[in-house]
Amino acid sequence: MSFLDPRTKSHFLTLIMPVELKDVALLAGVSVAHSWQLIRFARRVGAARGKFKVEFPATTGNEDFERYYRAQMNALEFYPIFSTTLWMGGLFFHQVPAAIAGVIYIYARNKYFDGYIISVKDRIPGFKLSVNCLKSLFLMFVLGAGHMAVENFTGINIREQYLQQYLKF
C-alpha cells in the first residue's frame, strides 16, 4: 500500500497489510540495475589501473586514474543515500514515480562517471541531476510518511479530501 494506492480505505488496513512483491517489483529492478552499474564502475577502475600502470593497492600517482577512482568512490559514498531514499519513497509514496526517479539517477550517475574521467569540471551536470533525483525521492518519502502520520494520528485522509475537493472524484 502506498500514498497513491486507491485500495487504501482505512488507516488500520495500511498498518496490517503486508507488502506484496508486485508492490516493490520496480524498486527491486532499479536496485539490481544500480548494483550492476556499481560492478561496471569497479571494472572500469580496474581497467584504468592497468592502463595507467597504478600498482595495487595505490590509489594515487596518476591524475587520470585518480579521476576514475574518485568517480567510483563517489558512487559508493552515495549508494546508501540512494538505496534508502529509493525504497522509502517507493514504499511510502508509490513505486512508479520512485522507480522513474531511480532510473534517472542511474543515468545521472553514468553521466557523472563519464564526465569525471574526462575532467573534474565535466562531472558537474551528472552530479546535479543525481542530487535532484535524491531530493525527489526524499520528498516522496516525506509526503508519503507525512500522509500516513496525519491519517493514523488524526483520521484525516489528505489524499481522499484532495481528490474530492479539487478533482471532483
Side-chain angles (χ1 to χ4, degrees):
M1 293 291 177
S2 67
F3 176 70
L4 297 176
D5 195 329
R7 295 176 291 166
T8 305
K9 300 273 191 259
S10 162
H11 65 283
F12 294 112
L13 287 177
T14 59
L15 293 175
I16 60 172
M17 295 280 299
V19 175
E20 297 179 22
L21 289 178
K22 66 182 177 166
D23 296 329
V24 296
L26 294 175
L27 302 175
V30 172
S31 292
V32 169
H34 188 246
S35 296
W36 180 252
Q37 180 183 51
L38 294 175
I39 291 167
R40 283 187 41 245
F41 288 169
R43 293 182 68 171
R44 289 178 71 182
V45 171
R49 184 178 289 283
K51 178 180 177 181
F52 299 114
K53 298 179 181 21
V54 176
E55 296 291 325
F56 186 79
T59 57
T60 59
N62 180 295
E63 185 179 323
D64 293 326
F65 170 75
E66 289 174 22
R67 285 197 306 270
Y68 277 86
Y69 182 75
R70 249 335 286 149
Q72 181 200 22
M73 288 299 104
N74 189 270
L76 293 173
E77 290 161 0
F78 274 82
Y79 174 76
I81 300 166
F82 171 68
S83 183
T84 302
T85 57
L86 172 71
W87 280 89
M88 294 301 98
L91 290 172
F92 283 90
F93 190 76
H94 196 277
Q95 76 166 331
V96 173
I100 291 169
V103 168
I104 295 170
Y105 176 85
I106 291 170
Y107 165 78
R109 278 280 124 183
N110 263 347
K111 188 177 174 95
Y112 172 86
F113 194 98
D114 292 341
Y116 208 156
I117 61 175
I118 294 169
S119 77
V120 173
K121 186 175 141 185
D122 288 334
R123 82 192 194 289
I124 294 172
F127 184 78
K128 286 182 178 181
L129 181 57
S130 66
V131 168
N132 285 333
C133 289
L134 293 174
K135 288 177 184 177
S136 297
L137 289 165
F138 185 76
L139 180 63
M140 288 178 213
F141 163 68
V142 168
L143 289 174
H147 176 265
M148 180 180 273
V150 167
E151 186 177 9
N152 287 330
F153 293 114
T154 68
I156 299 170
N157 187 324
I158 298 168
R159 184 180 128 278
E160 290 294 326
Q161 286 188 357
Y162 174 81
L163 291 175
Q164 289 174 1
Q165 184 173 357
Y166 296 105
L167 301 179
K168 307 296 183 208
F169 281 100

